[in-house]
Amino acid sequence: AVVSTQSTGGKSTKKCSNIQKTAILSETTRLYCVLCVRFVFLACPYLPEPKPRDAVGSEIWKALTEREGEISKLTNFGKSQLLDLYDTMVPYIRRARGPPPKVPYLYSLVLLTTWMKTGKDLESLAIDVSLPDTTLRDAIARVKIPLYEALREKWWKPANQPRPPVLQDTHFPFIALLADSTSVEVYRPGGRFDEVKDYYDVKNGIYALKKEVAVMASPPHFALFVSKGNIGKRHNYDVHKHEYEVYLPYLLKTELEKAHMPVDRAKDSWAILIDSGYNWHTS
């Protein structure tokens, strides 16, 4: 608001008309309303996801809604499993202000699992599902955090983890987990080479963080354990030595599981299978 200034006898005085006072009050009220709205969005960040909209021309969406068998081939999940996982994700979906996303979260979940199952590059997948490349990338990036939280709630809490079944058609029915290490490429850390060389993974020729992942030995091989990142130069066996204690409570057999074992009943724990690369004494 503009405030008029007058000079009287060498002194400056400020006068504000009623119209100007009203304008100041109106502006104050508007700012107060804006602050209140922002507070509501900050205090209540988790809003329910609207019902998924139909993705016209999408073969993947048709597979989810019409062909039960096709979706499991594309995503490694059945329709009921995907919907159950989506329901677990809903409390962790953070909705920003503005219009809803172009790709609904349920459809984004299908896209992400399809991408991971098929191993296609994103450009080819975008063509397959009739989406612009940038829209596909945004959809996948948006769904990662709520999916991570849902997986941690559903399968990574000890009380919720599915128990291992006895394997069929094998000489090793007592194996519960399959473990291996994977290197996740990172940017070269800042500093001299002598300071950052510990992050260099010689085998893969990249700067990396190394993680050990343990999945169920029985299909569909859900990942139940993921270790924290280790420096890239660390050997797989060394990583396993520091991580195996995490698996011990899960591997402990119940009395009912012992009774159903065709062999290996005397052992108190299920077995875990790792590849021969872990044997660094002979490699």
Side-chain angles (χ1 to χ4, degrees), residues 168-224:
Q168 305 295 325
D169 302 323
T170 176
H171 295 297
F172 309 99
F174 45 83
I175 295 176
L177 294 174
L178 312 175
D180 200 359
S181 290
T182 182
S183 293
V184 181
E185 186 173 7
V186 297
Y187 290 108
R188 183 189 186 279
R192 298 192 304 272
F193 180 74
D194 289 343
E195 298 172 341
V196 304
K197 64 182 180 181
D198 288 349
Y199 286 88
Y200 192 73
D201 182 351
V202 177
K203 178 182 177 181
N204 296 293
I206 56 174
Y207 289 94
L209 289 176
K210 187 169 289 186
K211 292 173 174 281
E212 183 173 83
V213 181
V215 305
M216 293 185 68
S218 58
H221 309 294
F222 293 134
L224 300 185

Side-chain angles (χ1 to χ4, degrees), residues 23-33:
I24 293 173
L25 290 175
S26 299
E27 181 68 11
T28 304
T29 304
R30 188 186 70 80
L31 292 174
Y32 175 78
C33 293

Side-chain angles (χ1 to χ4, degrees), residues 45-48 85-94 146 149-150:
Y46 299 113
L47 302 176
L85 185 56
Y86 170 75
D87 290 339
T88 310
M89 283 173 47
V90 168
Y92 303 105
I93 293 175
R94 185 183 293 272
E149 296 293 344

Side-chain angles (χ1 to χ4, degrees), residues 108-211:
S108 299
L109 175 62
V110 177
L111 291 172
L112 175 60
T113 50
T114 299
W115 176 50
M116 298 178 71
K117 173 68 164 58
T118 61
K120 285 189 172 185
D121 59 88
L122 290 176
E123 291 79 8
S124 300
L125 184 60
I127 295 174
D128 292 343
V129 298
S130 304
L131 284 176
D133 178 70
T134 53
T135 302
L136 175 64
R137 292 177 184 273
D138 290 344
I140 289 178
R142 190 186 306 110
V143 80
K144 284 182 178 179
I145 292 179
L147 176 60
Y148 169 78
E149 296 293 344
L151 291 175
R152 188 168 64 172
E153 173 71 26
K154 190 172 182 62
W155 284 314
W156 291 352
K157 287 187 176 181
N160 298 338
Q161 288 176 329
R163 294 300 302 163
V166 177
L167 298 182
Q168 305 295 325
D169 302 323
T170 176
H171 295 297
F172 309 99
F174 45 83
I175 295 176
L177 294 174
L178 312 175
D180 200 359
S181 290
T182 182
S183 293
V184 181
E185 186 173 7
V186 297
Y187 290 108
R188 183 189 186 279
R192 298 192 304 272
F193 180 74
D194 289 343
E195 298 172 341
V196 304
K197 64 182 180 181
D198 288 349
Y199 286 88
Y200 192 73
D201 182 351
V202 177
K203 178 182 177 181
N204 296 293
I206 56 174
Y207 289 94
L209 289 176
K210 187 169 289 186
K211 292 173 174 281

